[in-house]
Amino acid sequence: MLEYDYKQIKKFNEDGIVFEDGTRIKFVECRENWAKSRGVEYEDTLCVADRNISAEIPYFVFYSKKKIKILFKKSVLPWSNLCKKNFLKIQIGLNRFGYSSYDCS
């Protein structure tokens, strides 16, 4: 599984996420893989990732061909507002683009 810090996100739009190194997450592919992993039909889900805001290091795991984990590492301050805001930006953005993530909290 590839891991990235959320600060490495270069672009986030309706098609997916692009990281500074050029790695891409394609939401259509993630939706298909998430559905297969859960044994549900593609048409019956909008999920592209798992998320856990209450983990020691909050994260999203996207179901690309090779799973990609985006980490929201806490700064010196316990669970800084900036980190939490960026986590919620991903979650809300997915919803706006017509996708969702599965809550593992």
Side-chain angles (χ1 to χ4, degrees), residues 38-54:
R38 296 298 202 275
V40 298
E41 296 295 321
Y42 177 84
E43 297 80 19
D44 294 336
T45 187
L46 297 173
C47 281
V48 295
D50 296 333
R51 72 177 188 277
N52 190 336
I53 197 167
S54 63

Side-chain angles (χ1 to χ4, degrees), residues 30-43:
C30 292
R31 180 179 169 192
E32 185 177 301
N33 292 333
W34 193 94
K36 285 180 188 176
S37 76
R38 296 298 202 275
V40 298
E41 296 295 321
Y42 177 84
E43 297 80 19

Side-chain angles (χ1 to χ4, degrees), residues 46-71:
L46 297 173
C47 281
V48 295
D50 296 333
R51 72 177 188 277
N52 190 336
I53 197 167
S54 63
E56 186 174 329
I57 299 175
Y59 65 84
F60 279 84
V61 174
F62 286 87
Y63 280 67
S64 300
K65 288 180 184 175
K66 185 171 187 173
K67 289 182 183 176
I68 297 176
K69 188 177 210 177
I70 300 176
L71 300 166

